[in-house]
Amino acid sequence: MTTQYRISEGSPFPLGATWDNQGVNFALFSANATKVELCLFDDEGKQELHRIELPEFTDEIWHVYVHDLRPGTVYGYRVHGPYEPDAGHRFNPNKLVMDPYAKEHIGKLRWGPELFSYEIGHKDKDLSFDVRDSAPLLPKCRVVDTEFGWDGPSKVRVPWDRTVFYEAHVRGFTKLHPAVPENERGTFKGMAHPAVVEYIKSLGVTSVELMPIQTFIDDSYLLDRGLVNYWGYNTIGFFAADPRYFAQADIRELKQLIDTYHRAHLGIIMDVVYNHTPEGNELGPTLSFKGIDNASYYRLMPDKPRYYINDTGTGNTLNLSNARVLQMVMDSLRYWVTEMNVDGFRFDLATILGREPHGFDISGGFLRSCRQDPILASAKLIAEPWDCGPGGYQVGGFPPGWAEWNDKFRDTVRAFWKGDEGKVPELATRLTASADCFNQGGRRPWASVNFITAHDGFTLNDLVSYNDKHNEANGENNRDGHSNNHSWNMGAEGPTDNADIIELRERQKRNFLATLLLSQGTPMLLAGDEFGRTQGGNNNAYCQDNETSWVSWNLDERGEALANFVRKLTHLRSALPVLRRGRFLTGEFNETIGVHDVRWLTPAGVDITQEQWNDTSMRCFGMVLDGRAQASGIKHPASDATLLLVFNAHYDVVEFTLPEIPGDRAWINLIDTNVPQREELPHFVSGDRYAVTGRSVLLFALRSHKLARVYHNLAEVLTDNDEE
């Protein structure tokens, strides 16, 4: 194959394929390659038309400029070098490889032995060498034109204290949505449908956290079972969106989605996977990085570089200790912020990104790079602070500027509402943003991302409906997924017609949601939990691209009522700043102002003693958030509402005495999870006893003339006269 194109040396920067209106510059990092060939394909990526050897090698980057090429050009690479697995090198030019910096992909991976650089079944395993061409089976890369006319703001700068995350899956959220045209369901275009955006906005959430949308691969073992990698935590292209999510193959469709959400003042957070790739271990396929420069891109065993360090549990671990690999990740993040206008990132298995050869290090290359980067300074950075490697659990261990998923909040709240003993002291800590984990280095309460459920695990409905996981459909004999879910089915496993069980389950859902949305920290809601979506007890639906995972929009009366309850809670959180303070609550007495920022009460309305804290049978307590407490570093009283939260995980009614608070004696009951719909808000005075229903949450506000207008507006939102 000879080239018909005019070429010149090109530039080593920027990496990837860059169109400049006159041609395309191609630049690829490989420190150990001996030759790199650019392969050009027809528009469908089926026939290789030309090969162009990259003539220049500058600072470990191979590059060429091809004149007159245009956006839409389909390409890949063949990289030459030593095939020496024992030395960590796995070059095989018979295998086409995908550009790590590709902005768009075409085609779908088809599994076959040609994808492997060794002969499958050979007695020497990966030490053997396969000469078959993999190009017919591999997705191809495509040159893009990044031009787009944005209508909305480039960023939605929601303050952290006002942030409420909503975790959703592009395909699953719209696949069954009746307002979305059938050919747009499950796509970015469907996700941008006005009915979808309007619904999300109505919930009072501020930022949509999209599960992985970067190009990913379906594992062969799943396809063999008739399943797919539905969640998408198997990224192969860090700069491109997965083709399966486009109604039409055009990157502008995703830009239009982001623009639409920004115009609705909704932020977009991307769930990203920079810890591993689908190329697996030494027996995995050659798709991209392994064939470009295996020894640079992956962490290999120091004494046996034939083998991979597997801190991810997937077979390999990206080597962010290598400067060029780190650059790739940082370039990817900056691309999504500057070119695609996303507002932040949730990092899957983020501990790995902070791990250096000696272990997790907050001064390591990736975390240090993020901290000083002026572009990422405007983005929200959220860590999943654990992995399966040594020292992998790092909740609270990330540096200032980061937020973290807080599984301690999840597990403690679940255990408390299940009725476990001795959970009140720890729950008090979790309700106040887990200061034991995050109150260091000037970090703020928002650093704790609180959640009850997420994509991995039970949905909220299933949390109160199943004692055990039911993952048989995954084809692993129900061995996959966590078994310790802190769940309780209330007396029947799965769906039931028992009215008492149904009533208790609905109240428990409201208890969980109220605890989540009325706690200090940053709440995250799983899409569909607001109306009781079920996965039939499957707590690991990673491979279920079907009705198990898709959100059903056939809401019954209970689902509608629960969604309205969520709207009330998010409105309360927005209207009452004391629910989202920027300082950690300590409970200490402020001599200057003369108040405690938080007090913990027994049902008698008095402060809990140390002896009572040690009582493992305690299941009912109150929490007073004093609106006069210092709200910032400036030492003067605030003028926010004073609130009383009451949590009762006891099975029976508990009489709770409303406490005396200086300033006023009148209390308004804003929320009672036992009475989710009311025509008016009841009023009480200090000393009154309120019969707290077993397993319920209450929210009271102390009356204040300064806040009369706030309470009037709340009454209009929280009562149901206009819903009859």
Side-chain angles (χ1 to χ4, degrees):
M1 299 177 189
T2 58
T3 177
Q4 298 176 356
Y5 294 97
R6 182 167 61 94
I7 68 171
S8 54
E9 294 81 359
S11 169
F13 179 85
L15 288 159
T18 307
W19 180 58
D20 64 1
N21 294 304
Q22 297 181 4
V24 179
N25 189 82
F26 293 90
L28 178 74
F29 160 71
S30 180
N32 296 294
T34 58
K35 183 172 79 170
V36 175
E37 294 175 298
L38 171 68
C39 303
L40 302 180
F41 290 80
D42 64 9
D43 290 346
E44 295 181 349
K46 293 181 178 179
Q47 182 178 356
E48 186 175 346
L49 303 176
H50 305 284
R51 289 191 191 179
I52 302 171
E53 182 176 341
L54 277 61
E56 297 294 331
F57 182 55
T58 305
D59 297 332
E60 301 181 332
I61 295 174
W62 301 82
H63 53 95
V64 67
Y65 185 90
V66 184
H67 297 264
D68 300 322
L69 279 189
R70 298 187 57 80
T73 299
V74 178
Y75 72 100
Y77 290 109
R78 297 185 188 274
V79 184
H80 299 250
Y83 189 81
E84 300 171 358
D86 282 332
H89 300 307
R90 296 179 180 273
F91 295 100
N92 186 339
N94 300 293
K95 310 304 171 183
L96 190 76
V97 291
M98 301 164 68
D99 180 1
Y101 276 72
K103 307 299 192 302
E104 192 168 286
H105 294 113
I106 179 174
K108 187 176 182 180
L109 182 77
R110 293 189 294 118
W111 284 96
E114 296 89 345
L115 291 172
F116 296 78
S117 285
Y118 64 95
E119 294 183 25
I120 294 179
H122 194 283
K123 63 181 179 62
D124 294 329
K125 297 183 178 179
D126 61 305
L127 298 180
S128 63
F129 189 77
D130 189 275
V131 298
R132 289 172 290 184
D133 185 8
S134 68
L137 304 183
L138 193 75
K140 312 304 187 296
C141 308
R142 186 155 55 190
V143 178
V144 301
D145 177 5
T146 58
E147 190 67 28
F148 181 77
W150 298 91
D151 293 327
S154 62
K155 296 289 176 292
V156 175
R157 303 190 187 280
V158 181
W160 265 109
D161 70 291
R162 288 186 171 272
T163 297
V164 179
F165 292 125
Y166 188 69
E167 188 189 30
H169 190 285
V170 168
R171 181 169 171 84
F173 196 73
T174 62
K175 189 63 179 168
L176 299 176
H177 200 294
V180 177
E182 192 166 348
N183 65 324
E184 297 176 4
R185 294 177 185 176
T187 69
F188 295 127
K189 193 169 184 179
M191 197 73 187
H193 191 280
V196 174
V197 179
E198 182 181 354
Y199 170 78
I200 294 174
K201 185 69 176 177
S202 79
L203 293 176
V205 300
T206 67
S207 305
V208 179
E209 184 176 306
L210 296 177
M211 291 176 65
I213 61 171
Q214 293 167 316
T215 302
F216 63 92
I217 298 297
D218 289 318
D219 309 82
S220 60
Y221 75 91
L222 290 175
L223 295 175
D224 290 343
R225 294 188 213 149
L227 303 169
V228 296
N229 189 324
Y230 171 71
W231 286 351
Y233 291 94
N234 209 23
T235 304
I236 191 65
F238 298 121
F239 293 78
D242 195 284
R244 75 192 76 190
Y245 293 141
F246 288 95
Q248 297 177 331
D250 190 334
I251 190 63
R252 287 174 292 186
E253 184 178 319
L254 175 55
K255 290 186 174 183
Q256 188 62 58
L257 181 156
I258 297 169
D259 198 39
T260 299
Y261 277 67
H262 282 184
R263 281 187 276 116
H265 203 66
L266 289 167
I268 293 290
I269 307 296
M270 282 178 58
D271 197 338
V272 290
V273 187
Y274 294 111
N275 54 74
H276 77 279
T277 78
E279 293 186 300
N281 59 15
E282 70 277 5
L283 300 179
T286 296
L287 309 175
S288 180
F289 313 95
K290 185 179 288 187
I292 294 172
D293 194 347
N294 183 71
S296 294
Y297 276 105
Y298 292 113
R299 293 193 186 277
L300 307 177
M301 299 295 290
D303 54 341
K304 292 183 178 180
R306 175 183 175 186
Y307 303 104
Y308 296 75
I309 292 174
N310 184 22
D311 289 335
T312 65
T314 65
N316 65 54
T317 306
L318 274 177
N319 181 21
L320 268 67
S321 296
N322 181 287
R324 289 297 186 187
V325 181
L326 174 60
Q327 178 190 348
M328 176 188 69
V329 173
M330 299 305 297
D331 285 349
S332 170
L333 294 171
R334 285 189 287 262
Y335 169 79
W336 288 101
V337 171
T338 59
E339 182 59 41
M340 303 300 293
N341 283 357
V342 303
D343 303 288
F345 305 93
R346 180 265 188 189
F347 294 85
D348 179 64
L349 301 181
T351 298
I352 288 170
L353 306 180
R355 180 176 279 116
E356 298 295 335
H358 56 274
F360 180 78
D361 185 353
I362 63 170
S363 298
F366 173 73
L367 294 177
R368 187 169 64 244
S369 296
C370 289
R371 193 170 183 180
Q372 60 78 42
D373 192 288
I375 292 174
L376 297 184
S378 65
K380 288 181 167 66
L381 304 179
I382 306 127
E384 181 186 37
W386 50 76
D387 66 27
C388 64
Y393 188 77
Q394 291 291 335
V395 172
F398 278 71
W402 282 75
E404 303 173 37
W405 275 25
N406 186 357
D407 65 333
K408 293 184 178 181
F409 180 94
R410 176 198 65 196
D411 293 346
T412 302
V413 172
R414 287 185 177 192
F416 174 78
W417 286 116
K418 185 163 70 76
D420 290 0
E421 290 189 338
K423 292 299 177 181
V424 170
E426 186 175 3
L427 180 62
T429 301
R430 305 300 156 228
L431 294 173
T432 51
S434 298
D436 60 330
C437 299
F438 300 105
N439 190 9
Q440 54 184 306
R443 301 182 78 181
R444 300 290 185 170
W446 55 255
S448 174
V449 176
N450 302 328
F451 63 103
I452 305 297
T453 58
H455 64 272
D456 53 344
F458 280 142
T459 65
L460 179 60
N461 179 84
D462 292 356
L463 182 66
V464 301
S465 302
Y466 295 91
N467 285 347
D468 303 302
K469 62 183 181 180
H470 295 271
N471 300 351
E472 291 80 6
N474 296 353
E476 300 179 42
N477 296 317
N478 206 33
R479 293 190 303 268
D480 62 303
H482 291 290
S483 296
N484 184 23
N485 296 286
H486 303 287
S487 62
W488 177 39
N489 65 16
M490 319 287 155
E493 188 74 353
T496 181
D497 294 328
N498 186 301
D500 292 336
I501 292 177
I502 291 172
E503 179 185 357
L504 179 55
R505 286 178 177 177
E506 292 303 310
R507 188 161 71 250
Q508 285 284 70
K509 292 178 197 176
R510 295 190 290 271
N511 291 339
F512 280 117
L513 291 165
T515 306
L516 173 66
L517 289 165
L518 302 180
S519 290
Q520 305 290 311
T522 303
M524 183 185 78
L525 184 66
L526 175 63
D529 273 357
E530 71 274 13
F531 51 74
R533 181 178 77 88
T534 180
Q535 291 182 171
N538 192 322
N539 75 348
N540 190 35
Y542 74 101
C543 55
Q544 299 296 324
D545 186 11
N546 50 47
E547 284 83 355
T548 298
S549 298
W550 300 343
V551 174
S552 172
W553 296 95
N554 294 322
L555 274 62
D556 59 15
E557 185 177 343
R558 291 194 298 270
E560 293 281 6
L562 190 62
N564 286 331
F565 184 71
V566 168
R567 294 183 179 100
K568 295 174 183 179
L569 292 173
T570 56
H571 188 89
L572 281 166
R573 185 174 184 86
S574 176
L576 301 173
V578 74
L579 290 171
R580 41 185 175 82
R581 278 290 169 90
R583 293 165 59 87
F584 285 97
L585 306 180
T586 66
E588 297 176 358
F589 185 73
N590 186 313
E591 297 284 353
T592 304
I593 300 175
V595 299
H596 299 267
D597 53 10
V598 61
R599 289 175 57 201
W600 307 98
L601 307 180
T602 70
V606 297
D607 293 310
I608 297 176
T609 65
Q610 187 57 53
E611 182 179 1
Q612 290 167 322
W613 280 119
N614 295 335
D615 182 0
T616 59
S617 66
M618 179 169 60
R619 288 187 174 85
C620 181
F621 68 99
M623 173 186 181
V624 174
L625 300 172
D626 200 310
R628 300 166 299 167
Q630 183 177 333
S632 71
I634 301 173
K635 296 182 178 179
H636 65 69
S639 56
D640 297 330
T642 292
L643 304 179
L644 168 65
L645 282 153
V646 178
F647 302 88
N648 181 19
H650 191 55
Y651 68 87
D652 205 354
V653 172
V654 173
E655 297 286 339
F656 198 100
T657 301
L658 299 182
E660 297 281 350
I661 303 290
D664 209 315
R665 301 184 69 250
W667 291 94
I668 307 170
N669 180 220
L670 301 177
I671 292 289
D672 183 340
T673 58
N674 186 51
V675 191
Q677 296 177 313
R678 294 184 293 197
E679 294 184 359
E680 60 181 8
L681 301 179
H683 290 63
F684 303 90
V685 297
S686 298
D688 283 352
R689 301 177 72 192
Y690 191 104
V692 184
T693 303
R695 302 190 179 95
S696 65
V697 177
L698 305 175
L699 174 65
F700 295 87
L702 192 68
R703 190 177 65 184
S704 167
H705 294 297
K706 295 181 181 179
L707 298 171
R709 185 61 186 171
V710 173
Y711 291 151
H712 175 77
N713 292 338
L714 285 175
E716 291 184 344
V717 172
L718 299 177
T719 54
D720 298 277
N721 288 319
D722 58 344
E723 298 181 11
E724 295 299 326

